[in-house]
């Protein structure tokens, strides 16, 4: 048995050397555009986590952000300022301790980056707020131009109604 395994291992090594077969690296799975977009979004999430910025910093002025589902905030927001004014600023005004994201995964496909993450913080009433999110971010020239956001609307609505800005 040992001899057979040794022979198989030697044969595998020989095949790898002769054919030049290599395993792809992690970065080889993405095109240059996908890697660039994924890195931009990752930096936005890193800045958000560290309290030095957010993914909204790369949101184009004319971006369309759509919150999917049936939450109180579900609709399409035509432009960066509309989304920030109607959702993000009122959300942050309801928080005592800022929302901090933990990215589970970032996926890239063509011009789209998908961010799967959890976020938690403390509301002004002292109660925790936690939610899980999936954002589908369409990128163009290093900016987010379209977004579709999914999250637990029950948790969001309860928080939105309970805590005033």
């Amino acid at each position: 048995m040992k001899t057979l395994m040794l022979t198989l291992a030697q044969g595998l090594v020989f095949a790898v050397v002769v054919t030049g077969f290599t395993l792809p690296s992690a970065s080889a799975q993405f095109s240059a555009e996908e890697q660039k977009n994924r890195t931009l979004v990752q930096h936005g999430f890193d800045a958000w986590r560290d309290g030095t910025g957010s993914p909204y910093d790369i949101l184009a002025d004319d971006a369309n952000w759509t919150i999917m589902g049936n939450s109180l905030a579900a609709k399409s927001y035509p432009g960066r300022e509309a989304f920030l004014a109607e959702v993000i600023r009122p959300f942050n005004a309801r928080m005592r301790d800022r929302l901090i994201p933990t990215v589970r995964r970032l996926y890239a496909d063509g011009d789209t980056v998908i961010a799967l993450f959890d976020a938690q913080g403390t509301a002004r009433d002292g109660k925790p707020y936690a939610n899980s999110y999936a954002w589908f971010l369409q990128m163009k020239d290093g900016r987010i131009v379209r977004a579709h956001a999914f999250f637990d609307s029950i948790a969001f609505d309860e928080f939105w109604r309970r805590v005033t800005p």
Side-chain angles (χ1 to χ4, degrees):
M1 185 63 149
K2 257 186 169 175
T3 306
L4 177 60
M5 290 182 73
L6 183 58
T7 302
L8 288 173
Q10 288 171 332
L12 181 59
V13 169
F14 177 75
V16 167
V17 170
V18 169
T19 63
F21 175 81
T22 60
L23 292 172
S25 68
S27 63
Q29 66 184 333
F30 300 111
S31 71
E33 176 191 21
E34 290 167 338
Q35 186 61 42
K36 175 186 164 208
N37 290 338
R38 188 176 178 278
T39 298
L40 285 168
V41 172
Q42 179 67 60
H43 288 166
F45 273 93
D46 291 346
W48 184 9
R49 179 198 63 219
D50 298 340
T52 60
S54 78
Y56 309 126
D57 296 341
I58 59 170
L59 191 58
D61 289 340
D62 61 347
N64 184 286
W65 191 286
T66 301
I67 296 176
M68 306 298 294
N70 297 302
S71 79
L72 295 170
K75 71 175 195 174
S76 289
Y77 297 87
R80 179 180 194 272
E81 184 52 36
F83 175 62
L84 294 176
E86 294 180 51
V87 179
I88 299 307
R89 289 186 198 112
F91 184 98
N92 290 340
R94 287 172 164 86
M95 299 297 290
R96 183 183 75 199
D97 300 325
R98 68 185 183 83
L99 196 66
I100 299 174
T102 301
V103 175
R104 289 195 216 175
R105 279 299 291 247
L106 289 178
Y107 303 90
D109 184 20
D111 65 355
T112 301
V113 176
I114 303 168
L116 176 62
F117 67 100
D118 302 311
Q120 60 185 19
T122 304
R124 288 182 48 219
D125 64 2
K127 293 182 180 178
Y129 174 80
N131 211 326
S132 295
Y133 300 82
W135 288 355
F136 292 71
L137 308 171
Q138 184 180 352
M139 308 289 290
K140 183 177 180 185
D141 300 326
R143 309 293 276 176
I144 299 167
V145 295
R146 182 172 292 115
H148 290 87
F150 297 84
F151 54 82
D152 179 349
S153 61
I154 295 171
F156 176 87
D157 286 357
E158 190 276 329
F159 160 76
W160 200 256
R161 285 184 180 117
R162 187 185 82 238
V163 183
T164 56

